[in-house]
Amino acid sequence: MKKKSVSHIENIIAFSIFLIFITFMIIYLSPLRVPRSSSYILDVASNKFQEAYSVRLKEYTLVLSSEVLSVSESCITFPAQKFEPSSPIGKYVIKNDSGVIESDLENNNIEIQKPSSRVFYVYVSEESIFSPPSADYDGCLTLSDDNYSIIQGVSFYPVSEEKVKSATDYLAVKKTLGIPDSFDFELILVDMASPDKPLLNLSKQKPITNVLAREYPLSMITSKGDIKNMVFSIKIW
Amino acid sequence: MKYKKSQFYILAVVIIIAVIAVLITTINQSRFTKEPTKFYDLSDQFSKETSQVITYGVYQKENIVEVVNNFSSTFLYNYTLEKEPNVELIFLYGNSSDIYLFNYAESSIKITNCPEGMEMLCLIESSRPLVLGNIKLDIGKGANIPTQSQGQFKSQPINLPKYSNKILIKVAEEDYEFNLKDENEQFLFIIKKNESGEIFVSGNI
């Protein structure tokens, strides 16, 4: 009788150890866990979106000499090739502290109304993405090298409104973003100032679970030259 | 009875072997150094602020070399190194008449022979640290441009000979080109950080 009870205890201990071991193995090896490859797809898609829809924008500061502000001419002109692009059409926009300035391009010379302050900025893109407000000027003062200084500024990479607007085909965008065929996605780009009207909204009906999502802010340059703060949101399943 | 007891031992042995096998199994791991985000943010900040500082200098008709030197040394020693240690800065500023080098790196910068067929001023980062005091420099081919002493706030910028409007500078085994346009106030900066033997380089390059 005594021996029989000891054997029962041994069995219980053995079985307990076995169960603990199985539990440990299941937790440690997680055999049922599905590899989360889609999280990498999310990284790739976000990066490819930036690559495909952003532009390199270079900012130059132009400082006029104080004499220029007192000349009788109502407009000034300076050569566009000072800012690198060989063919400047659609590749530049001029701004001051209050916003975009109207300009005209005449024989590769940029013409603008005589500014009220000595400092303004020229934003130059390598691609034709701008259609800024234009105006016609006559009899402008041609700036000589002594009249102004150009300060090389910084380069930055905003998303281009022109490029984003062309992204209307779900399958083409899916290919651009490198999303595999077996996955689907939703992509929304919305202006922070008007969140109800997304600039870009590409989607397929998504499931309730197992959706990976990412959202982050980015800046966008419009065709008029304004820089807007946007929210980029992507969901993949 | 004996049969049941042996069952227990067999089970115990299987468990022990399995546990040992799991513990000694080699696990493949990839280790990588985390990208120093703060370092790249500082680089962007330096780029934007330098442009503003030069604009201020031009607008106020100040001595831009002095203004830039004051700003870059203050930015590095009073701000950057407090946030991100081991950061080094090499700065080139040029305009229609002159090119200046501000070297805040540990190693010295040397004028070197350019690759065949390249008509430009070629600079190379010398691997040997060379910290000199206020020694008058005779700049010419092969001359050394010393490191500014760390912590020395107003170090003297070096006026480089202007062979052409192009400068090639080799830092951390990489070539960076500085193309000067005559009318422009231009700058090129390279900041680098050595972290766990890995060199991170950034700048307006």
Side-chain angles (χ1 to χ4, degrees):
Chain A
M1 187 68 194
K2 201 180 173 185
K3 276 191 175 178
K4 205 172 184 181
S5 68
V6 169
S7 135
H8 277 307
I9 291 165
E10 282 173 350
N11 283 342
I12 289 165
I13 292 170
F15 192 63
S16 303
I17 293 170
F18 179 71
L19 285 182
I20 291 167
F21 171 72
I22 293 294
T23 312
F24 168 76
M25 290 295 277
I26 288 170
I27 293 169
Y28 188 76
L29 298 174
S30 306
L32 297 176
R33 188 174 61 188
V34 178
R36 302 294 296 269
S37 58
S38 44
S39 68
Y40 299 105
I41 295 167
L42 205 59
D43 288 339
V44 171
S46 304
N47 290 340
K48 290 211 169 189
F49 179 82
Q50 289 279 357
E51 278 173 27
Y53 298 102
S54 59
V55 284
R56 183 184 185 205
L57 217 57
K58 210 164 178 182
E59 180 201 73
Y60 295 87
T61 308
L62 224 132
V63 182
L64 298 174
S65 63
S66 46
E67 298 83 55
V68 174
L69 300 186
S70 54
V71 295
S72 57
E73 287 90 343
S74 61
C75 56
I76 56 172
T77 180
F78 48 92
Q81 64 262 33
K82 298 269 183 191
F83 308 101
E84 290 175 22
S86 50
S87 168
I89 299 163
K91 292 182 178 172
Y92 75 93
V93 68
I94 299 170
K95 296 172 89 173
N96 62 13
D97 289 333
S98 25
V100 179
I101 302 173
E102 289 182 346
S103 63
D104 191 18
L105 193 66
E106 194 75 43
N107 300 326
N108 275 356
N109 288 318
I110 298 171
E111 295 178 341
I112 58 167
Q113 193 171 16
K114 190 176 72 181
S116 53
S117 74
R118 287 174 55 202
V119 179
F120 58 93
Y121 309 93
V122 181
Y123 291 84
V124 179
S125 161
E126 287 163 351
E127 298 166 60
S128 291
I129 54 160
F130 294 122
S131 47
S134 61
D136 273 336
Y137 298 105
D138 279 322
C140 296
L141 169 76
T142 304
L143 295 181
S144 67
D145 288 347
D146 300 337
N147 291 143
Y148 66 103
S149 297
I150 297 170
I151 294 119
Q152 167 217 315
V154 292
S155 293
F156 54 107
Y157 299 83
V159 164
S160 156
E161 185 190 30
E162 279 295 296
K163 287 187 167 189
V164 166
K165 277 185 174 170
S166 67
T168 50
D169 181 38
Y170 180 89
L171 289 175
V173 173
K174 187 175 176 178
K175 197 178 173 188
T176 306
L177 301 187
I179 298 170
D181 293 342
S182 53
F183 287 85
D184 277 310
F185 74 99
E186 179 190 80
L187 199 157
I188 296 172
L189 189 66
V190 65
D191 184 355
M192 282 186 191
S194 51
D196 301 333
K197 292 176 188 168
L199 178 73
L200 182 65
N201 189 351
L202 288 172
S203 180
K204 274 209 169 173
Q205 193 167 8
K206 58 182 175 296
I208 298 162
T209 55
N210 290 330
V211 178
L212 285 163
R214 179 169 298 168
E215 200 172 68
Y216 58 87
L218 49 80
S219 55
M220 183 183 77
I221 184 97
T222 68
S223 54
K224 303 278 178 221
D226 296 313
I227 292 173
K228 289 185 174 179
N229 294 318
M230 310 294 285
V231 176
F232 171 82
S233 162
I234 186 164
K235 295 185 179 81
I236 292 181
W237 59 91
Chain B
M1 189 67 212
K2 274 187 179 175
Y3 175 70
K4 278 192 176 177
K5 206 169 184 177
S6 64
Q7 263 188 335
F8 169 74
Y9 285 121
I10 289 166
L11 187 63
V13 165
V14 168
I15 291 167
I16 290 164
I17 289 170
V19 169
I20 291 168
V22 167
L23 292 177
I24 63 168
T25 304
T26 309
I27 299 166
N28 288 326
Q29 284 183 319
S30 60
R31 290 183 186 182
F32 57 93
T33 313
K34 205 179 163 191
E35 206 173 60
T37 318
K38 210 190 282 176
F39 167 75
Y40 291 111
D41 289 346
L42 283 165
S43 170
D44 283 348
Q45 193 181 344
F46 185 74
S47 180
K48 284 175 192 159
E49 292 192 17
T50 305
S51 173
Q52 298 288 322
V53 165
I54 295 175
T55 303
Y56 166 82
V58 171
Y59 192 93
Q60 299 288 353
K61 293 185 177 165
E62 301 252 358
N63 180 338
I64 296 169
V65 176
E66 203 173 285
V67 169
V68 167
N69 191 29
N70 283 344
F71 169 71
S72 50
S73 56
T74 308
F75 187 91
L76 181 68
Y77 298 124
N78 291 9
Y79 182 69
T80 305
L81 289 175
E82 285 177 12
K83 289 179 179 291
E84 193 84 347
N86 303 325
V87 170
E88 298 174 41
L89 171 69
I90 295 163
F91 188 93
L92 282 160
Y93 162 74
N95 57 26
S96 53
S97 51
D98 291 298
I99 309 166
Y100 290 89
L101 172 78
F102 309 75
N103 181 19
Y104 302 101
E106 273 183 25
S107 37
S108 56
I109 306 278
K110 205 169 95 173
I111 297 176
T112 185
N113 291 325
C114 292
E116 196 74 31
M118 282 184 151
E119 287 297 317
M120 52 172 74
L121 175 65
C122 292
L123 304 170
I124 189 164
E125 186 188 33
S126 167
S127 56
R128 213 152 46 97
L130 180 71
V131 182
L132 300 175
N134 292 324
I135 294 173
K136 197 178 173 191
L137 290 159
D138 181 19
I139 302 291
K141 288 228 173 191
N144 273 317
I145 299 159
T147 306
Q148 315 292 2
S149 303
Q150 289 271 332
Q152 187 184 326
F153 278 30
K154 283 194 176 182
S155 47
Q156 288 302 306
I158 310 294
N159 193 188
L160 294 173
K162 202 173 177 188
Y163 298 147
S164 79
N165 277 356
K166 276 188 178 180
I167 293 177
L168 190 77
I169 182 164
K170 192 170 196 157
V171 173
E173 303 299 319
E174 288 288 333
D175 287 338
Y176 302 102
E177 213 173 287
F178 185 38
N179 289 312
L180 267 172
K181 291 190 122 193
D182 271 344
E183 304 83 2
N184 291 7
E185 308 284 336
Q186 280 178 263
F187 62 94
L188 174 103
F189 75 93
I190 299 162
I191 67 168
K192 58 175 189 161
K193 180 181 168 65
N194 192 332
E195 193 169 284
S196 314
E198 199 166 344
I199 296 174
F200 295 92
V201 179
S202 184
N204 62 339
I205 42 188

